[in-house]
Amino acid sequence: MAKKEEEVKLLGFWGSPFSRRVEMALKLKGVPYEYLEQDIVDKSPLLLQLNPVYKKVPVLVHNGKVLAESHLILEYIDQTWKNNPILPQDPYEKAMAFFWAKFVDEQVGPGFFSVVKAEKGIEVAIEEAREHIMFLEKEITGKDFFGGETIGFLDMVAGSMIPFCVARGWEGIGVDMIPEEIFPELNRWIKNLLEIEIVVECIPDREKHIEHVMKIVERIKSA
């Protein structure tokens, strides 16, 4: 548990999978924190001061120490508060967790925008996106969570990005990207996530989220 004298602040955005996953970790660890909602368009002086390099959320402030980038923040949280570990202890398994997390954020997440742009045609874009997701389907097969029997680092990364973010974008443009008949294991995993209180507490409101994502879609199409 976090000590009372510790100062923990999180700068985030309600619809960001990157800041939502950090909240999941803090809640799982039982770390009290102050949440500071940010405007990701009209960026606050505080955000620009704390993260002048990337100028984006999330930003964690712990006793005056500032960290940016969600993967690094999650690792820091796990190493600082030892209870309820989220990263594997085995070096290889830990490396693979980071490998798949990077894959989720750099391939699966951006795959949504490929579908929106559909430069190669919508069907081709959907097929390519599903090819990426199928890697995760195979990875989760036979497991309750990517982390094993309990929620871990990769569950937070993939959970915040796929079912509770880009899936809503796909839904908004009329695409059922992860149907149960194609991805039975991922859908079983999603149901497992929805049984965990700290995950449910960090899921953005569905209708508000779809509306937000559709505004991004409109901007992309009009660009």
Side-chain angles (χ1 to χ4, degrees):
M1 299 288 288
K3 298 177 182 179
K4 290 184 179 180
E5 66 269 24
E6 289 187 313
E7 175 191 60
V8 181
K9 296 181 179 180
L10 174 64
L11 281 69
F13 173 66
W14 69 268
S16 166
F18 305 102
S19 57
R20 285 299 191 175
R21 64 185 55 158
V22 173
E23 287 195 80
M24 289 181 194
L26 290 171
K27 288 177 180 292
L28 181 67
K29 298 282 189 177
V31 179
Y33 64 97
E34 179 183 358
Y35 177 76
L36 302 173
E37 177 70 11
Q38 299 297 301
D39 186 328
I40 58 175
V41 177
D42 184 14
K43 299 179 181 181
S44 71
L46 179 61
L47 176 60
L48 297 176
Q49 173 192 343
L50 295 176
N51 191 3
V53 177
Y54 293 111
K55 302 178 176 64
K56 60 183 181 181
V57 298
V59 176
L60 182 76
V61 182
H62 178 217
N63 292 339
K65 295 177 289 188
V66 180
L67 294 98
E69 298 299 292
S70 66
H71 294 184
L72 299 178
I73 294 173
L74 290 175
E75 183 178 22
Y76 176 83
I77 290 172
D78 200 42
Q79 292 178 343
T80 302
W81 294 279
K82 303 294 186 179
N83 61 304
N84 299 328
I86 61 174
L87 277 164
Q89 297 301 304
D90 179 80
Y92 175 76
E93 292 181 0
K94 182 176 180 179
M96 291 307 298
F98 278 107
F99 171 85
W100 287 116
K102 183 179 176 69
F103 174 78
V104 167
D105 284 350
E106 295 185 359
Q107 299 296 325
V108 179
F112 166 70
F113 299 105
S114 296
V115 174
V116 171
K117 295 176 182 177
E119 295 171 344
K120 302 176 184 178
I122 186 68
E123 294 302 323
V124 173
I126 291 174
E127 182 61 28
E128 289 181 350
R130 283 181 174 162
E131 286 178 2
H132 287 147
I133 299 169
M134 186 56 70
F135 285 111
L136 298 173
E137 171 76 6
K138 294 176 181 177
E139 189 66 20
I140 194 62
T141 297
K143 305 175 186 176
D144 290 334
F145 300 98
F146 286 104
E149 296 181 356
T150 58
I151 185 172
F153 169 82
L154 184 54
D155 299 287
M156 294 175 181
V157 172
S160 60
M161 178 61 75
I162 300 174
F164 311 132
C165 184
V166 293
R168 293 173 170 183
W170 291 322
E171 179 183 350
I173 60 175
V175 175
D176 183 6
M177 185 62 76
I178 47 176
E180 192 160 0
E181 59 270 22
I182 299 177
F183 301 102
E185 295 296 314
L186 269 178
N187 279 278
R188 179 181 56 81
W189 165 71
I190 292 170
K191 291 174 183 176
N192 288 340
L193 286 178
L194 290 171
E195 294 179 357
I196 299 178
E197 184 177 357
I198 62 104
V199 172
V200 175
E201 290 175 354
C202 295
I203 298 174
D205 178 79
R206 179 176 168 277
E207 296 302 323
K208 181 181 178 182
H209 207 181
I210 291 176
E211 181 181 354
H212 168 70
V213 174
M214 292 313 296
K215 289 180 180 178
I216 296 176
V217 169
E218 291 173 5
R219 290 201 296 269
I220 292 173
K221 289 185 174 181
S222 62

Tab-separated table of all heavy atoms in Angstrom, residues 119-163:
chain	number	residue	atom	x	y	z
A	119	GLU	N	-7.267	2.782	-47.348
A	119	GLU	CA	-6.589	3.143	-48.593
A	119	GLU	C	-6.498	1.959	-49.548
A	119	GLU	O	-6.444	2.131	-50.762
A	119	GLU	CB	-5.190	3.680	-48.255
A	119	GLU	CG	-5.241	4.978	-47.459
A	119	GLU	CD	-3.873	5.402	-46.946
A	119	GLU	OE1	-2.959	4.558	-46.933
A	119	GLU	OE2	-3.725	6.580	-46.566
A	120	LYS	N	-6.472	0.727	-49.000
A	120	LYS	CA	-6.414	-0.469	-49.841
A	120	LYS	C	-7.789	-1.098	-50.041
A	120	LYS	O	-7.911	-2.163	-50.626
A	120	LYS	CB	-5.484	-1.509	-49.195
A	120	LYS	CG	-4.073	-1.023	-48.944
A	120	LYS	CD	-3.268	-2.090	-48.211
A	120	LYS	CE	-1.879	-1.598	-47.868
A	120	LYS	NZ	-1.111	-2.630	-47.097
A	121	GLY	N	-8.817	-0.435	-49.522
A	121	GLY	CA	-10.157	-1.010	-49.545
A	121	GLY	C	-10.521	-1.505	-48.165
A	121	GLY	O	-9.676	-2.032	-47.439
A	122	ILE	N	-11.778	-1.347	-47.776
A	122	ILE	CA	-12.213	-1.669	-46.431
A	122	ILE	C	-12.019	-3.135	-46.085
A	122	ILE	O	-11.590	-3.483	-44.987
A	122	ILE	CB	-13.692	-1.248	-46.233
A	122	ILE	CG1	-14.110	-1.453	-44.760
A	122	ILE	CG2	-14.610	-2.004	-47.168
A	122	ILE	CD1	-13.457	-0.537	-43.790
A	123	GLU	N	-12.308	-4.041	-47.015
A	123	GLU	CA	-12.186	-5.474	-46.728
A	123	GLU	C	-10.723	-5.876	-46.495
A	123	GLU	O	-10.426	-6.693	-45.628
A	123	GLU	CB	-12.793	-6.301	-47.857
A	123	GLU	CG	-14.298	-6.139	-48.003
A	123	GLU	CD	-15.047	-6.509	-46.734
A	123	GLU	OE1	-14.613	-7.465	-46.054
A	123	GLU	OE2	-16.038	-5.835	-46.416
A	124	VAL	N	-9.836	-5.300	-47.289
A	124	VAL	CA	-8.407	-5.591	-47.121
A	124	VAL	C	-7.922	-5.065	-45.776
A	124	VAL	O	-7.176	-5.747	-45.054
A	124	VAL	CB	-7.583	-4.963	-48.267
A	124	VAL	CG1	-6.082	-5.122	-47.991
A	124	VAL	CG2	-7.940	-5.611	-49.591
A	125	ALA	N	-8.363	-3.874	-45.415
A	125	ALA	CA	-7.953	-3.267	-44.149
A	125	ALA	C	-8.455	-4.088	-42.963
A	125	ALA	O	-7.731	-4.292	-41.981
A	125	ALA	CB	-8.477	-1.837	-44.055
A	126	ILE	N	-9.693	-4.577	-43.052
A	126	ILE	CA	-10.256	-5.403	-41.982
A	126	ILE	C	-9.480	-6.705	-41.851
A	126	ILE	O	-9.159	-7.144	-40.740
A	126	ILE	CB	-11.753	-5.689	-42.244
A	126	ILE	CG1	-12.569	-4.404	-42.078
A	126	ILE	CG2	-12.268	-6.783	-41.317
A	126	ILE	CD1	-14.024	-4.543	-42.464
A	127	GLU	N	-9.167	-7.327	-42.973
A	127	GLU	CA	-8.430	-8.591	-42.950
A	127	GLU	C	-7.046	-8.401	-42.341
A	127	GLU	O	-6.586	-9.234	-41.541
A	127	GLU	CB	-8.314	-9.149	-44.371
A	127	GLU	CG	-7.610	-10.501	-44.463
A	127	GLU	CD	-8.321	-11.589	-43.690
A	127	GLU	OE1	-9.557	-11.513	-43.529
A	127	GLU	OE2	-7.634	-12.528	-43.235
A	128	GLU	N	-6.372	-7.325	-42.686
A	128	GLU	CA	-5.050	-7.070	-42.127
A	128	GLU	C	-5.120	-6.829	-40.622
A	128	GLU	O	-4.270	-7.310	-39.861
A	128	GLU	CB	-4.418	-5.860	-42.827
A	128	GLU	CG	-3.997	-6.143	-44.271
A	128	GLU	CD	-3.349	-4.943	-44.929
A	128	GLU	OE1	-3.405	-3.829	-44.334
A	128	GLU	OE2	-2.788	-5.095	-46.034
A	129	ALA	N	-6.151	-6.095	-40.191
A	129	ALA	CA	-6.316	-5.835	-38.762
A	129	ALA	C	-6.570	-7.139	-38.015
A	129	ALA	O	-6.027	-7.375	-36.923
A	129	ALA	CB	-7.459	-4.850	-38.531
A	130	ARG	N	-7.393	-8.006	-38.603
A	130	ARG	CA	-7.708	-9.282	-37.947
A	130	ARG	C	-6.493	-10.213	-37.907
A	130	ARG	O	-6.354	-11.021	-36.988
A	130	ARG	CB	-8.883	-9.958	-38.654
A	130	ARG	CG	-10.230	-9.334	-38.300
A	130	ARG	CD	-11.378	-10.019	-38.967
A	130	ARG	NE	-12.651	-9.472	-38.496
A	130	ARG	CZ	-13.811	-9.612	-39.128
A	130	ARG	NH1	-13.855	-10.303	-40.263
A	130	ARG	NH2	-14.913	-9.087	-38.628
A	131	GLU	N	-5.626	-10.107	-38.889
A	131	GLU	CA	-4.397	-10.907	-38.867
A	131	GLU	C	-3.542	-10.536	-37.650
A	131	GLU	O	-2.946	-11.405	-37.007
A	131	GLU	CB	-3.605	-10.696	-40.161
A	131	GLU	CG	-4.204	-11.391	-41.371
A	131	GLU	CD	-3.417	-11.112	-42.636
A	131	GLU	OE1	-2.381	-10.410	-42.558
A	131	GLU	OE2	-3.835	-11.580	-43.706
A	132	HIS	N	-3.496	-9.252	-37.344
A	132	HIS	CA	-2.752	-8.804	-36.170
A	132	HIS	C	-3.410	-9.320	-34.894
A	132	HIS	O	-2.729	-9.832	-33.990
A	132	HIS	CB	-2.698	-7.270	-36.130
A	132	HIS	CG	-1.775	-6.681	-37.145
A	132	HIS	ND1	-2.023	-5.472	-37.749
A	132	HIS	CD2	-0.615	-7.135	-37.668
A	132	HIS	CE1	-1.040	-5.201	-38.596
A	132	HIS	NE2	-0.174	-6.180	-38.565
A	133	ILE	N	-4.720	-9.192	-34.822
A	133	ILE	CA	-5.441	-9.604	-33.619
A	133	ILE	C	-5.338	-11.110	-33.399
A	133	ILE	O	-5.323	-11.586	-32.254
A	133	ILE	CB	-6.914	-9.157	-33.709
A	133	ILE	CG1	-6.993	-7.629	-33.815
A	133	ILE	CG2	-7.696	-9.613	-32.473
A	133	ILE	CD1	-8.370	-7.110	-34.165
A	134	MET	N	-5.235	-11.869	-34.478
A	134	MET	CA	-5.157	-13.326	-34.366
A	134	MET	C	-3.909	-13.765	-33.595
A	134	MET	O	-3.922	-14.801	-32.933
A	134	MET	CB	-5.181	-13.966	-35.748
A	134	MET	CG	-5.239	-15.495	-35.735
A	134	MET	SD	-6.658	-16.154	-34.787
A	134	MET	CE	-8.025	-15.690	-35.881
A	135	PHE	N	-2.852	-12.986	-33.652
A	135	PHE	CA	-1.657	-13.310	-32.855
A	135	PHE	C	-2.008	-13.317	-31.367
A	135	PHE	O	-1.541	-14.165	-30.604
A	135	PHE	CB	-0.536	-12.299	-33.122
A	135	PHE	CG	0.153	-12.474	-34.443
A	135	PHE	CD1	-0.001	-11.546	-35.461
A	135	PHE	CD2	0.977	-13.573	-34.669
A	135	PHE	CE1	0.645	-11.703	-36.681
A	135	PHE	CE2	1.635	-13.740	-35.885
A	135	PHE	CZ	1.463	-12.802	-36.901
A	136	LEU	N	-2.838	-12.369	-30.957
A	136	LEU	CA	-3.237	-12.294	-29.556
A	136	LEU	C	-4.220	-13.401	-29.207
A	136	LEU	O	-4.215	-13.907	-28.081
A	136	LEU	CB	-3.844	-10.919	-29.267
A	136	LEU	CG	-2.891	-9.734	-29.472
A	136	LEU	CD1	-3.641	-8.420	-29.338
A	136	LEU	CD2	-1.750	-9.793	-28.470
A	137	GLU	N	-5.069	-13.769	-30.156
A	137	GLU	CA	-5.982	-14.896	-29.957
A	137	GLU	C	-5.199	-16.165	-29.618
A	137	GLU	O	-5.552	-16.910	-28.698
A	137	GLU	CB	-6.812	-15.111	-31.224
A	137	GLU	CG	-7.655	-16.381	-31.251
A	137	GLU	CD	-8.907	-16.308	-30.407
A	137	GLU	OE1	-9.213	-15.220	-29.867
A	137	GLU	OE2	-9.604	-17.334	-30.274
A	138	LYS	N	-4.129	-16.384	-30.348
A	138	LYS	CA	-3.293	-17.565	-30.095
A	138	LYS	C	-2.550	-17.447	-28.768
A	138	LYS	O	-2.365	-18.437	-28.055
A	138	LYS	CB	-2.301	-17.747	-31.251
A	138	LYS	CG	-2.968	-18.079	-32.580
A	138	LYS	CD	-1.955	-18.143	-33.718
A	138	LYS	CE	-2.636	-18.454	-35.050
A	138	LYS	NZ	-1.665	-18.450	-36.184
A	139	GLU	N	-2.136	-16.237	-28.435
A	139	GLU	CA	-1.368	-16.018	-27.212
A	139	GLU	C	-2.217	-16.239	-25.958
A	139	GLU	O	-1.706	-16.703	-24.927
A	139	GLU	CB	-0.792	-14.595	-27.215
A	139	GLU	CG	0.189	-14.293	-26.121
A	139	GLU	CD	1.481	-15.085	-26.214
A	139	GLU	OE1	1.804	-15.591	-27.318
A	139	GLU	OE2	2.168	-15.205	-25.181
A	140	ILE	N	-3.504	-15.932	-26.027
A	140	ILE	CA	-4.372	-16.041	-24.846
A	140	ILE	C	-5.017	-17.417	-24.728
A	140	ILE	O	-5.585	-17.763	-23.685
A	140	ILE	CB	-5.473	-14.944	-24.886
A	140	ILE	CG1	-6.173	-14.808	-23.521
A	140	ILE	CG2	-6.497	-15.236	-25.968
A	140	ILE	CD1	-5.291	-14.385	-22.390
A	141	THR	N	-4.903	-18.230	-25.754
A	141	THR	CA	-5.541	-19.549	-25.751
A	141	THR	C	-5.079	-20.393	-24.560
A	141	THR	O	-3.885	-20.537	-24.305
A	141	THR	CB	-5.233	-20.312	-27.060
A	141	THR	OG1	-5.784	-19.589	-28.166
A	141	THR	CG2	-5.844	-21.710	-27.039
A	142	GLY	N	-6.047	-20.903	-23.829
A	142	GLY	CA	-5.749	-21.751	-22.683
A	142	GLY	C	-5.431	-21.004	-21.412
A	142	GLY	O	-5.096	-21.616	-20.397
A	143	LYS	N	-5.524	-19.675	-21.433
A	143	LYS	CA	-5.212	-18.865	-20.254
A	143	LYS	C	-6.436	-18.045	-19.851
A	143	LYS	O	-7.242	-17.665	-20.703
A	143	LYS	CB	-4.059	-17.894	-20.540
A	143	LYS	CG	-2.780	-18.521	-21.061
A	143	LYS	CD	-1.786	-17.422	-21.410
A	143	LYS	CE	-0.539	-17.962	-22.082
A	143	LYS	NZ	0.366	-16.854	-22.503
A	144	ASP	N	-6.567	-17.772	-18.566
A	144	ASP	CA	-7.612	-16.853	-18.111
A	144	ASP	C	-7.237	-15.416	-18.458
A	144	ASP	O	-8.082	-14.610	-18.844
A	144	ASP	CB	-7.818	-16.978	-16.604
A	144	ASP	CG	-8.456	-18.306	-16.218
A	144	ASP	OD1	-9.167	-18.892	-17.060
A	144	ASP	OD2	-8.226	-18.756	-15.083
A	145	PHE	N	-5.945	-15.120	-18.294
A	145	PHE	CA	-5.419	-13.792	-18.600
A	145	PHE	C	-4.056	-13.957	-19.266
A	145	PHE	O	-3.422	-15.000	-19.140
A	145	PHE	CB	-5.279	-12.950	-17.322
A	145	PHE	CG	-6.562	-12.739	-16.591
A	145	PHE	CD1	-6.900	-13.530	-15.501
A	145	PHE	CD2	-7.457	-11.761	-16.994
A	145	PHE	CE1	-8.099	-13.355	-14.840
A	145	PHE	CE2	-8.662	-11.573	-16.339
A	145	PHE	CZ	-8.990	-12.380	-15.254
A	146	PHE	N	-3.606	-12.910	-19.939
A	146	PHE	CA	-2.269	-12.978	-20.531
A	146	PHE	C	-1.223	-13.201	-19.446
A	146	PHE	O	-0.198	-13.840	-19.687
A	146	PHE	CB	-1.952	-11.692	-21.295
A	146	PHE	CG	-2.691	-11.567	-22.597
A	146	PHE	CD1	-3.784	-10.714	-22.721
A	146	PHE	CD2	-2.307	-12.302	-23.710
A	146	PHE	CE1	-4.467	-10.595	-23.919
A	146	PHE	CE2	-2.982	-12.192	-24.915
A	146	PHE	CZ	-4.065	-11.333	-25.017
A	147	GLY	N	-1.501	-12.670	-18.253
A	147	GLY	CA	-0.571	-12.821	-17.147
A	147	GLY	C	-0.701	-14.147	-16.427
A	147	GLY	O	0.000	-14.389	-15.451
A	148	GLY	N	-1.606	-15.013	-16.880
A	148	GLY	CA	-1.799	-16.314	-16.236
A	148	GLY	C	-3.146	-16.399	-15.559
A	148	GLY	O	-4.182	-16.189	-16.186
A	149	GLU	N	-3.142	-16.641	-14.263
A	149	GLU	CA	-4.397	-16.797	-13.529
A	149	GLU	C	-4.958	-15.470	-13.039
A	149	GLU	O	-6.129	-15.394	-12.650
A	149	GLU	CB	-4.188	-17.738	-12.337
A	149	GLU	CG	-3.807	-19.162	-12.745
A	149	GLU	CD	-3.641	-20.074	-11.554
A	149	GLU	OE1	-3.749	-19.580	-10.400
A	149	GLU	OE2	-3.413	-21.274	-11.759
A	150	THR	N	-4.130	-14.438	-13.019
A	150	THR	CA	-4.582	-13.126	-12.556
A	150	THR	C	-4.207	-12.053	-13.582
A	150	THR	O	-3.314	-12.250	-14.409
A	150	THR	CB	-3.944	-12.761	-11.199
A	150	THR	OG1	-2.513	-12.770	-11.335
A	150	THR	CG2	-4.351	-13.767	-10.127
A	151	ILE	N	-4.867	-10.924	-13.482
A	151	ILE	CA	-4.622	-9.826	-14.419
A	151	ILE	C	-3.199	-9.297	-14.242
A	151	ILE	O	-2.681	-9.210	-13.128
A	151	ILE	CB	-5.646	-8.693	-14.215
A	151	ILE	CG1	-5.470	-7.601	-15.290
A	151	ILE	CG2	-5.561	-8.120	-12.828
A	151	ILE	CD1	-6.557	-6.548	-15.260
A	152	GLY	N	-2.557	-8.976	-15.359
A	152	GLY	CA	-1.196	-8.474	-15.311
A	152	GLY	C	-0.960	-7.347	-16.295
A	152	GLY	O	-1.898	-6.781	-16.872
A	153	PHE	N	0.284	-7.032	-16.487
A	153	PHE	CA	0.730	-5.929	-17.340
A	153	PHE	C	0.098	-5.973	-18.735
A	153	PHE	O	-0.495	-5.003	-19.209
A	153	PHE	CB	2.258	-5.977	-17.430
A	153	PHE	CG	2.883	-5.085	-18.454
A	153	PHE	CD1	3.107	-3.741	-18.186
A	153	PHE	CD2	3.272	-5.586	-19.693
A	153	PHE	CE1	3.695	-2.908	-19.129
A	153	PHE	CE2	3.863	-4.760	-20.640
A	153	PHE	CZ	4.076	-3.425	-20.354
A	154	LEU	N	0.226	-7.105	-19.422
A	154	LEU	CA	-0.278	-7.185	-20.794
A	154	LEU	C	-1.791	-7.119	-20.847
A	154	LEU	O	-2.363	-6.577	-21.804
A	154	LEU	CB	0.231	-8.462	-21.468
A	154	LEU	CG	-0.125	-8.640	-22.949
A	154	LEU	CD1	0.312	-7.422	-23.760
A	154	LEU	CD2	0.511	-9.916	-23.495
A	155	ASP	N	-2.468	-7.650	-19.816
A	155	ASP	CA	-3.927	-7.544	-19.764
A	155	ASP	C	-4.352	-6.081	-19.679
A	155	ASP	O	-5.333	-5.669	-20.306
A	155	ASP	CB	-4.470	-8.306	-18.558
A	155	ASP	CG	-4.145	-9.785	-18.607
A	155	ASP	OD1	-4.763	-10.488	-19.423
A	155	ASP	OD2	-3.264	-10.213	-17.847
A	156	MET	N	-3.611	-5.296	-18.912
A	156	MET	CA	-3.937	-3.880	-18.770
A	156	MET	C	-3.702	-3.133	-20.079
A	156	MET	O	-4.505	-2.290	-20.480
A	156	MET	CB	-3.105	-3.266	-17.642
A	156	MET	CG	-3.452	-3.825	-16.274
A	156	MET	SD	-2.349	-3.196	-14.983
A	156	MET	CE	-2.995	-4.062	-13.542
A	157	VAL	N	-2.599	-3.468	-20.747
A	157	VAL	CA	-2.281	-2.801	-22.010
A	157	VAL	C	-3.296	-3.191	-23.090
A	157	VAL	O	-3.910	-2.339	-23.729
A	157	VAL	CB	-0.849	-3.153	-22.465
A	157	VAL	CG1	-0.592	-2.628	-23.878
A	157	VAL	CG2	0.170	-2.571	-21.496
A	158	ALA	N	-3.471	-4.500	-23.292
A	158	ALA	CA	-4.369	-4.970	-24.345
A	158	ALA	C	-5.827	-4.671	-24.012
A	158	ALA	O	-6.613	-4.313	-24.890
A	158	ALA	CB	-4.178	-6.468	-24.567
A	159	GLY	N	-6.192	-4.802	-22.735
A	159	GLY	CA	-7.569	-4.540	-22.338
A	159	GLY	C	-7.969	-3.093	-22.544
A	159	GLY	O	-9.048	-2.791	-23.063
A	160	SER	N	-7.101	-2.183	-22.146
A	160	SER	CA	-7.405	-0.758	-22.302
A	160	SER	C	-7.453	-0.357	-23.773
A	160	SER	O	-8.208	0.546	-24.155
A	160	SER	CB	-6.369	0.094	-21.567
A	160	SER	OG	-5.057	-0.127	-22.079
A	161	MET	N	-6.665	-1.037	-24.612
A	161	MET	CA	-6.590	-0.664	-26.019
A	161	MET	C	-7.651	-1.326	-26.892
A	161	MET	O	-8.289	-0.674	-27.722
A	161	MET	CB	-5.201	-1.010	-26.569
A	161	MET	CG	-5.021	-0.709	-28.064
A	161	MET	SD	-5.232	1.049	-28.465
A	161	MET	CE	-3.681	1.701	-27.826
A	162	ILE	N	-7.865	-2.645	-26.727
A	162	ILE	CA	-8.707	-3.371	-27.681
A	162	ILE	C	-10.197	-3.318	-27.328
A	162	ILE	O	-10.953	-2.589	-27.972
A	162	ILE	CB	-8.203	-4.817	-27.866
A	162	ILE	CG1	-6.759	-4.801	-28.384
A	162	ILE	CG2	-9.092	-5.563	-28.876
A	162	ILE	CD1	-6.103	-6.162	-28.474
A	163	PRO	N	-10.664	-4.046	-26.299
A	163	PRO	CA	-12.115	-4.057	-26.078
A	163	PRO	C	-12.683	-2.733	-25.595
A	163	PRO	O	-13.840	-2.415	-25.884
A	163	PRO	CB	-12.300	-5.165	-25.032
A	163	PRO	CG	-11.006	-5.230	-24.307
A	163	PRO	CD	-9.961	-4.925	-25.340
